[in-house]
Amino acid sequence: MNKKIIFAWIPVICLFALILYFKNDPVVHPLKETATKAETTEKEVTTSITGDLLFEGPLYEWMDNYQFGNYFDQVKPYLKGDLIIGNQEVLVGGDELGISGWGYSFNAPYSIGEQLPSLGFNVLTLANNHENDRGLEGITNTRQLFDKMNMFTSGMYLSQEERNQTPVIEKNGVRFGVLAYTYSTNTYVGSDYDYAVPYFLDENLQFTQEYKDILKRDVEAAKQVSDVVIVAMHWGTEFTYELTYTQQAATEYLNELGVDLIIGNHSHCLQPMEYLTSSTGHQTFVIYSLGNFVSADVVVDRSNELFKNMYQVGGIVNLTICHDTATKETTIKNVALTPFVNQYENEYQNFRLIPFNQYNETLASQHYRRQYSDLFTYEVIKEQIEQLYDESIMIN
């Protein structure tokens, strides 16, 4: 046979042999990826929480035309995440109702409320003992301002119809029902607008069945329209780390109702945090108090020396709320506390909030409070903070 013909057939024969080989050996076939990564059903919402925004007279006097200036600059980096929650303890009723930061009757100019979004706040709880300091007009002015700003609020209502509904805010596909209550108000709420202020105690400051039923109704309604239920409670006794009976009773009751996060305030000092587990296994994270976020009082009457000093110390909590859309379970994790000192010097000058991880004894010695107490020191403050929290809380 012609050699040229033989060589011409060699590629054809080789190709045919390869086809037969691969046909009978499936191992060499290209692998197809049949397993795909399962879509996660857990959604995370990062959250920052502060204590009371209590704007007092000396702070107004230091401000330039009621502007914050650099007061919040050093703590602002900690106000981060999807939800940033604060308790606005002062009405923002405007000049026409009289600006006051004295005498336990408070009202702020509109500019105070208008600046809060610049700090990051997108949720304000408004239920507190100063809520009725300017009557219905103060409530109306405050709510109308925040509504105009599209600021989400809870705990101050303009009608009975509104009181009967759950305020809901959505972040990252998770719906949050936010409820807020106060133990009482400093002035009597008229019967013609008693819908405006939500209480959790009766007029004798007792946690009665009537008020348990109110909480149960509200929480069950919140569960119908939200994935996660947060309750803010203005409660307890001022100037103490000790929890009252009503704090503990209300906490246990809310835990049994299935509330996910409780944010307490009113004590004007830091208080403990803890996880509670109900009889059905539901876990609630409780922040009893984060002290003051904003304040300005060097004397602090009605208190002893220790808590006059700790009145100057507040906290910011950063945490992650995880909600599983499949199991409907919610967990709170990555809890970190950043304590800070409300620093101001002689005669209420140079106000600024300083994270405690940036604080030192030199700054403590310059604080106006040091003129009233030799115990206002870096080491004493550090000891007080550390004794309040167990290993489940990361202290920054």
Side-chain angles (χ1 to χ4, degrees):
M1 182 180 291
N2 190 306
K3 289 183 179 181
K4 291 184 179 181
I5 295 176
I6 292 173
F7 285 121
W9 275 95
I10 287 175
V12 177
I13 294 169
C14 291
L15 179 61
F16 183 70
L18 287 171
I19 291 172
L20 289 175
Y21 176 77
F22 282 117
K23 182 178 180 181
N24 294 320
D25 189 358
V27 176
V28 299
H29 286 196
L31 293 175
K32 293 183 178 180
E33 190 174 331
T34 56
T36 58
K37 185 178 180 180
E39 290 187 11
T40 180
T41 58
E42 187 173 88
K43 296 183 180 295
E44 295 188 347
V45 178
T46 53
T47 305
S48 299
I49 304 166
T50 75
D52 297 332
L53 281 78
L54 182 61
F55 291 89
E56 297 182 283
L59 187 58
Y60 289 147
E61 293 178 356
W62 171 78
M63 287 178 175
D64 182 9
N65 196 29
Y66 302 123
Q67 297 301 299
F68 292 163
N70 64 353
Y71 181 44
F72 297 99
D73 286 0
Q74 288 175 256
V75 298
K76 191 174 178 180
Y78 299 96
L79 299 177
K80 58 186 178 181
D82 304 304
L83 288 177
I84 302 177
I85 305 170
N87 178 58
Q88 175 62 30
E89 190 161 0
V90 174
L91 289 167
V92 190
D95 289 13
E96 62 265 36
L97 300 184
I99 306 306
S100 175
W102 307 92
Y104 312 111
S105 181
F106 300 126
N107 179 54
Y110 291 131
S111 60
I112 291 295
E114 290 167 348
Q115 293 173 83
L116 295 179
S118 70
L119 302 179
F121 287 107
N122 54 16
V123 174
L124 294 178
T125 60
L126 304 177
N128 59 73
N129 57 302
H130 292 287
E131 188 170 355
N132 197 45
D133 280 1
R134 292 295 187 276
L136 179 59
E137 192 172 4
I139 290 170
T140 301
N141 286 8
T142 300
R143 270 294 311 278
Q144 287 181 345
L145 172 69
F146 288 135
D147 290 352
K148 181 181 177 181
M149 294 165 51
N150 293 317
M151 174 68 77
F152 179 92
T153 64
S154 180
M156 181 183 287
Y157 304 103
L158 298 180
S159 68
Q160 185 63 55
E161 180 182 13
E162 187 179 75
R163 171 66 183 87
N164 292 339
Q165 298 174 349
T166 303
V168 176
I169 184 171
E170 184 172 329
K171 293 291 180 181
N172 296 350
V174 180
R175 295 166 300 167
F176 292 85
V178 184
L179 305 173
Y181 304 87
T182 181
Y183 71 96
S184 185
T185 49
N186 292 355
T187 57
Y188 174 73
V189 175
S191 59
D192 55 332
Y193 65 98
D194 56 6
Y195 54 78
V197 180
Y199 298 108
F200 76 97
L201 301 180
D202 69 9
E203 63 275 10
N204 297 314
L205 304 183
Q206 300 299 308
F207 188 46
T208 63
Q209 188 61 50
E210 176 186 359
Y211 286 86
K212 290 180 181 179
D213 291 343
I214 291 172
L215 292 183
K216 183 177 181 181
R217 178 200 68 197
D218 291 350
V219 171
E220 289 180 347
K223 287 183 173 181
Q224 295 298 312
V225 295
S226 61
D227 304 305
V228 178
V229 179
I230 299 174
V231 178
M233 300 290 277
H234 206 73
W235 60 7
T237 301
E238 295 175 314
F239 318 121
T240 180
Y241 301 142
E242 300 298 320
L243 304 179
T244 65
Y245 169 78
T246 53
Q247 275 179 290
Q248 296 176 70
T251 297
E252 291 172 4
Y253 188 68
L254 291 169
N255 174 230
E256 291 293 337
L257 290 177
V259 169
D260 300 296
L261 174 63
I262 300 173
I263 303 170
N265 37 61
H266 176 61
S267 70
H268 303 301
C269 63
L270 295 171
Q271 287 188 335
M273 297 179 241
E274 66 176 337
Y275 291 91
L276 287 184
T277 303
S278 72
S279 59
T280 61
H282 180 82
Q283 192 173 76
T284 304
F285 185 65
V286 187
I287 301 170
Y288 287 100
S289 174
L290 288 173
N292 300 321
F293 185 57
V294 175
S295 64
D297 188 352
V298 74
V299 178
V300 196
D301 58 8
R302 301 177 296 124
S303 179
N304 61 31
E305 183 177 6
L306 172 62
F307 289 102
K308 292 176 191 288
N309 292 338
M310 293 307 291
Y311 188 86
Q312 320 301 330
V313 181
I316 298 171
V317 163
N318 297 104
L319 53 80
T320 304
I321 301 173
C322 304
H323 179 72
D324 193 311
T325 58
T327 65
K328 308 301 181 185
E329 293 182 356
T330 297
T331 55
I332 308 294
K333 63 181 185 180
N334 303 330
V335 179
L337 169 69
T338 302
F340 61 84
V341 176
N342 185 20
Q343 181 80 2
Y344 49 94
E345 287 141 23
N346 290 349
E347 303 298 330
Y348 296 111
Q349 296 302 309
N350 198 19
F351 277 89
R352 59 207 189 276
L353 303 182
I354 303 178
F356 198 66
N357 57 21
Q358 301 172 30
Y359 209 63
N360 54 49
E361 179 56 28
T362 299
L363 288 167
S365 69
Q366 296 169 351
H367 197 290
Y368 191 17
R369 179 66 198 154
R370 186 67 160 262
Q371 297 185 25
Y372 293 80
S373 173
D374 291 337
L375 294 179
F376 190 88
T377 68
Y378 173 84
E379 285 299 329
V380 169
I381 295 171
K382 182 174 182 287
E383 290 171 3
Q384 294 298 308
I385 293 169
E386 290 177 345
Q387 75 173 13
L388 278 169
Y389 305 103
D390 62 26
E391 63 278 0
S392 67
I393 310 300
M394 186 183 80
I395 301 178
N396 183 3

mmCIF file of all heavy atoms in Angstrom, residues 297-315:
data_model
loop_
_atom_site.group_PDB
_atom_site.id
_atom_site.type_symbol
_atom_site.label_atom_id
_atom_site.label_comp_id
_atom_site.label_asym_id
_atom_site.label_seq_id
_atom_site.Cartn_x
_atom_site.Cartn_y
_atom_site.Cartn_z
ATOM 1 N N ASP A 297 -24.886 68.085 84.680
ATOM 2 C CA ASP A 297 -25.172 68.421 86.071
ATOM 3 C C ASP A 297 -23.989 67.974 86.922
ATOM 4 O O ASP A 297 -23.704 66.782 87.022
ATOM 5 C CB ASP A 297 -26.454 67.739 86.541
ATOM 6 C CG ASP A 297 -26.898 68.217 87.910
ATOM 7 O OD1 ASP A 297 -26.141 68.962 88.565
ATOM 8 O OD2 ASP A 297 -28.012 67.840 88.333
ATOM 9 N N VAL A 298 -23.304 68.902 87.542
ATOM 10 C CA VAL A 298 -22.143 68.563 88.353
ATOM 11 C C VAL A 298 -22.532 68.280 89.805
ATOM 12 O O VAL A 298 -21.817 67.600 90.534
ATOM 13 C CB VAL A 298 -21.080 69.679 88.285
ATOM 14 C CG1 VAL A 298 -21.512 70.892 89.101
ATOM 15 C CG2 VAL A 298 -19.712 69.178 88.712
ATOM 16 N N VAL A 299 -23.689 68.782 90.242
ATOM 17 C CA VAL A 299 -24.094 68.646 91.636
ATOM 18 C C VAL A 299 -24.914 67.383 91.847
ATOM 19 O O VAL A 299 -24.682 66.612 92.776
ATOM 20 C CB VAL A 299 -24.886 69.882 92.091
ATOM 21 C CG1 VAL A 299 -25.358 69.711 93.534
ATOM 22 C CG2 VAL A 299 -24.016 71.132 91.972
ATOM 23 N N VAL A 300 -25.914 67.132 90.998
ATOM 24 C CA VAL A 300 -26.751 65.929 91.037
ATOM 25 C C VAL A 300 -27.316 65.716 92.443
ATOM 26 O O VAL A 300 -26.932 64.785 93.157
ATOM 27 C CB VAL A 300 -25.990 64.661 90.587
ATOM 28 C CG1 VAL A 300 -26.986 63.555 90.260
ATOM 29 C CG2 VAL A 300 -25.092 64.930 89.408
ATOM 30 N N ASP A 301 -28.233 66.594 92.843
ATOM 31 C CA ASP A 301 -28.846 66.399 94.159
ATOM 32 C C ASP A 301 -29.707 65.141 94.145
ATOM 33 O O ASP A 301 -29.941 64.535 93.109
ATOM 34 C CB ASP A 301 -29.672 67.631 94.560
ATOM 35 C CG ASP A 301 -30.769 67.975 93.576
ATOM 36 O OD1 ASP A 301 -31.004 67.177 92.652
ATOM 37 O OD2 ASP A 301 -31.386 69.036 93.731
ATOM 38 N N ARG A 302 -30.105 64.690 95.284
ATOM 39 C CA ARG A 302 -30.865 63.442 95.484
ATOM 40 C C ARG A 302 -29.991 62.209 95.322
ATOM 41 O O ARG A 302 -30.498 61.098 95.215
ATOM 42 C CB ARG A 302 -32.071 63.332 94.544
ATOM 43 C CG ARG A 302 -33.082 64.461 94.681
ATOM 44 C CD ARG A 302 -34.213 64.355 93.677
ATOM 45 N NE ARG A 302 -33.747 64.494 92.312
ATOM 46 C CZ ARG A 302 -33.960 63.598 91.367
ATOM 47 N NH1 ARG A 302 -34.608 62.486 91.636
ATOM 48 N NH2 ARG A 302 -33.516 63.802 90.144
ATOM 49 N N SER A 303 -28.668 62.380 95.291
ATOM 50 C CA SER A 303 -27.796 61.233 95.085
ATOM 51 C C SER A 303 -26.624 61.285 96.058
ATOM 52 O O SER A 303 -26.323 62.346 96.636
ATOM 53 C CB SER A 303 -27.285 61.210 93.652
ATOM 54 O OG SER A 303 -26.416 60.128 93.437
ATOM 55 N N ASN A 304 -25.938 60.141 96.228
ATOM 56 C CA ASN A 304 -24.734 60.131 97.058
ATOM 57 C C ASN A 304 -23.503 60.401 96.195
ATOM 58 O O ASN A 304 -23.606 60.546 94.976
ATOM 59 C CB ASN A 304 -24.601 58.807 97.820
ATOM 60 C CG ASN A 304 -24.478 57.606 96.894
ATOM 61 O OD1 ASN A 304 -23.942 57.701 95.786
ATOM 62 N ND2 ASN A 304 -24.963 56.461 97.353
ATOM 63 N N GLU A 305 -22.343 60.436 96.816
ATOM 64 C CA GLU A 305 -21.136 60.836 96.104
ATOM 65 C C GLU A 305 -20.804 59.907 94.940
ATOM 66 O O GLU A 305 -20.438 60.362 93.855
ATOM 67 C CB GLU A 305 -19.949 60.887 97.073
ATOM 68 C CG GLU A 305 -18.666 61.381 96.408
ATOM 69 C CD GLU A 305 -17.511 61.497 97.383
ATOM 70 O OE1 GLU A 305 -17.685 61.075 98.549
ATOM 71 O OE2 GLU A 305 -16.441 62.009 96.991
ATOM 72 N N LEU A 306 -20.934 58.585 95.167
ATOM 73 C CA LEU A 306 -20.604 57.639 94.106
ATOM 74 C C LEU A 306 -21.428 57.890 92.865
ATOM 75 O O LEU A 306 -20.891 57.969 91.749
ATOM 76 C CB LEU A 306 -20.814 56.204 94.595
ATOM 77 C CG LEU A 306 -20.680 55.120 93.518
ATOM 78 C CD1 LEU A 306 -19.277 55.106 92.924
ATOM 79 C CD2 LEU A 306 -21.046 53.754 94.088
ATOM 80 N N PHE A 307 -22.741 58.047 93.030
ATOM 81 C CA PHE A 307 -23.601 58.174 91.853
ATOM 82 C C PHE A 307 -23.656 59.593 91.302
ATOM 83 O O PHE A 307 -24.034 59.792 90.146
ATOM 84 C CB PHE A 307 -24.989 57.602 92.163
ATOM 85 C CG PHE A 307 -24.956 56.107 92.279
ATOM 86 C CD1 PHE A 307 -24.957 55.489 93.513
ATOM 87 C CD2 PHE A 307 -24.847 55.323 91.147
ATOM 88 C CE1 PHE A 307 -24.885 54.107 93.623
ATOM 89 C CE2 PHE A 307 -24.778 53.941 91.235
ATOM 90 C CZ PHE A 307 -24.791 53.333 92.475
ATOM 91 N N LYS A 308 -23.241 60.565 92.092
ATOM 92 C CA LYS A 308 -22.991 61.883 91.507
ATOM 93 C C LYS A 308 -21.853 61.772 90.496
ATOM 94 O O LYS A 308 -21.870 62.413 89.442
ATOM 95 C CB LYS A 308 -22.629 62.894 92.602
ATOM 96 C CG LYS A 308 -23.743 63.260 93.568
ATOM 97 C CD LYS A 308 -23.216 64.185 94.655
ATOM 98 C CE LYS A 308 -24.210 64.368 95.793
ATOM 99 N NZ LYS A 308 -25.349 65.197 95.403
ATOM 100 N N ASN A 309 -20.860 60.950 90.840
ATOM 101 C CA ASN A 309 -19.735 60.733 89.931
ATOM 102 C C ASN A 309 -20.148 59.890 88.719
ATOM 103 O O ASN A 309 -19.805 60.209 87.575
ATOM 104 C CB ASN A 309 -18.584 60.058 90.672
ATOM 105 C CG ASN A 309 -17.945 60.967 91.706
ATOM 106 O OD1 ASN A 309 -18.057 62.189 91.623
ATOM 107 N ND2 ASN A 309 -17.280 60.372 92.693
ATOM 108 N N MET A 310 -20.893 58.809 88.970
ATOM 109 C CA MET A 310 -21.276 57.917 87.876
ATOM 110 C C MET A 310 -22.361 58.515 86.981
ATOM 111 O O MET A 310 -22.609 58.002 85.892
ATOM 112 C CB MET A 310 -21.718 56.570 88.428
ATOM 113 C CG MET A 310 -20.589 55.782 89.085
ATOM 114 S SD MET A 310 -19.129 55.574 88.003
ATOM 115 C CE MET A 310 -19.797 54.457 86.759
ATOM 116 N N TYR A 311 -22.983 59.602 87.419
ATOM 117 C CA TYR A 311 -23.908 60.352 86.567
ATOM 118 C C TYR A 311 -23.189 60.849 85.314
ATOM 119 O O TYR A 311 -23.807 61.040 84.264
ATOM 120 C CB TYR A 311 -24.456 61.540 87.352
ATOM 121 C CG TYR A 311 -25.564 62.329 86.696
ATOM 122 C CD1 TYR A 311 -26.882 61.937 86.822
ATOM 123 C CD2 TYR A 311 -25.292 63.497 85.980
ATOM 124 C CE1 TYR A 311 -27.922 62.675 86.249
ATOM 125 C CE2 TYR A 311 -26.302 64.244 85.408
ATOM 126 C CZ TYR A 311 -27.624 63.827 85.542
ATOM 127 O OH TYR A 311 -28.647 64.556 84.967
ATOM 128 N N GLN A 312 -21.885 61.022 85.419
ATOM 129 C CA GLN A 312 -21.089 61.545 84.305
ATOM 130 C C GLN A 312 -20.656 60.455 83.329
ATOM 131 O O GLN A 312 -19.990 60.750 82.337
ATOM 132 C CB GLN A 312 -19.841 62.247 84.848
ATOM 133 C CG GLN A 312 -20.037 63.075 86.095
ATOM 134 C CD GLN A 312 -21.056 64.195 85.957
ATOM 135 O OE1 GLN A 312 -21.247 64.753 84.880
ATOM 136 N NE2 GLN A 312 -21.718 64.537 87.058
ATOM 137 N N VAL A 313 -21.020 59.187 83.600
ATOM 138 C CA VAL A 313 -20.555 58.052 82.801
ATOM 139 C C VAL A 313 -21.744 57.359 82.145
ATOM 140 O O VAL A 313 -22.725 57.001 82.816
ATOM 141 C CB VAL A 313 -19.791 57.040 83.680
ATOM 142 C CG1 VAL A 313 -19.297 55.864 82.837
ATOM 143 C CG2 VAL A 313 -18.623 57.724 84.393
ATOM 144 N N GLY A 314 -21.689 57.193 80.843
ATOM 145 C CA GLY A 314 -22.738 56.489 80.107
ATOM 146 C C GLY A 314 -22.149 55.391 79.252
ATOM 147 O O GLY A 314 -20.950 55.085 79.335
ATOM 148 N N GLY A 315 -22.984 54.798 78.423
ATOM 149 C CA GLY A 315 -22.506 53.717 77.581
ATOM 150 C C GLY A 315 -23.226 53.650 76.247
ATOM 151 O O GLY A 315 -24.379 54.079 76.116
#
